[in-house]
Amino acid sequence: MIDHYDWAGGREAMLRFGPAAGPVVVAAPPLFEEANRTRAFLVTILRLLAQRGIAGALPDLPGQGESLVPTDRSSILKMRDAFNFACDKFDREGRNCYALGMRSGALLDTLAPVAGRWHFAPMPGDKLLRELKRAAIAADPQRHDLDSPVLGGSTPIEIAGNPLAPALLAELVTARPAPDARVVRLASDPADAIRRVDGAPLWRRAEPDNDPALAALLAEDIAVWIRACES
């Protein structure tokens, strides 16, 4: 079902799944191009949660998805604020809200009024910034503007087809996921995690893709975790 939520910057669309009562998982997809590569996978997880009796929501965030906010006018703070309002919509209904952050989406739930956080392959902002810089240099080895975001400026900087505000890139230097999340990672990822699972990093593929088997494994992990939190 297509719904919406309001935040300080306007109104954004939100996909909703599952029952109209009980706990709800609000998902924050990865930022920029990784969001396109993993959207079908994230929707599959939310649909599988709905089959397990757990509601889900996938909000558009400012500058992402189908948002009317231009990408170069968005910021980490605005996206965090909007995600907060998306969760608050359910909190006002008396429902326990849980955040699902995937990759850099794990940077966006830090202000949200949630009962718990579940992160898949979370990454700090400075790592995302390094990846964005590598992508830009790979496309154009002659670029010399990639250090300017951390020094200030107002002219949007195009990286991988996205015009990004220097202020947003500067925010990435210090942005970190919340430390209290249940962290699940791929077996190939050496970073700290509570659980590791087998699978391929869909966000590395050239085109959007899906992995129903991995989605089912993650949905079950989330469902078991939420039931434990609710008991």
Side-chain angles (χ1 to χ4, degrees):
M1 157 176 134
I2 299 177
D3 196 3
H4 69 271
Y5 70 98
D6 296 308
W7 69 290
R11 174 168 289 187
E12 301 287 357
M14 177 166 62
L15 293 178
R16 293 180 61 172
F17 308 82
V24 56
V25 174
V26 182
L31 298 173
F32 314 130
E33 187 56 34
E34 285 192 5
N36 298 326
R37 296 172 187 154
T38 60
R39 184 176 178 84
F41 178 62
L42 193 50
V43 167
T44 300
I45 292 174
L46 295 175
R47 285 177 173 160
L48 289 169
L49 283 171
Q51 293 175 12
R52 290 163 170 79
I54 297 173
L58 179 58
D60 280 341
L61 299 174
Q64 306 293 303
E66 301 301 319
S67 172
L68 296 180
V69 177
T71 304
D72 60 2
R73 295 190 181 180
S74 187
S75 68
I76 299 298
L77 183 58
K78 287 180 180 178
M79 286 186 273
R80 284 175 172 171
D81 188 42
F83 190 83
N84 183 357
F85 274 89
C87 293
D88 186 63
K89 180 183 180 79
F90 299 103
D91 188 59
R92 292 196 307 271
E93 296 175 1
R95 305 176 67 179
N96 283 342
C97 215
Y98 294 87
L100 188 174
M102 184 179 296
R103 294 279 286 167
S104 53
L107 301 173
L108 307 180
D109 64 25
T110 57
L111 301 178
V114 294
R117 296 175 175 83
W118 187 96
H119 291 166
F120 181 53
M123 63 190 305
D126 57 347
K127 181 178 179 180
L128 173 58
L129 182 59
R130 290 194 298 271
E131 291 189 358
L132 290 171
K133 288 181 177 181
R134 282 198 295 269
I137 292 173
D140 181 4
Q142 303 304 314
R143 291 192 66 166
H144 300 289
D145 62 344
L146 300 178
D147 290 326
S148 60
V150 298
L151 301 176
S154 58
T155 302
I157 296 173
E158 185 170 319
I159 299 180
N162 294 298
L164 305 178
L168 184 155
L169 297 173
E171 286 177 296
L172 291 178
V173 175
T174 57
R176 296 289 184 275
D180 59 346
R182 175 176 174 82
V183 175
V184 178
R185 295 185 184 275
L186 294 174
S188 58
D189 187 341
D192 290 343
I194 293 174
R195 182 181 181 186
R196 300 184 188 280
V197 295
D198 291 327
L202 298 176
W203 48 87
R204 298 295 187 198
R205 295 183 178 174
E207 299 293 335
D209 205 349
N210 202 352
D211 186 337
L214 178 58
L217 186 65
L218 298 181
E220 184 62 21
D221 187 272
I222 296 168
V224 170
W225 169 69
I226 288 179
R227 291 189 191 110
C229 292
E230 293 282 297
S231 63

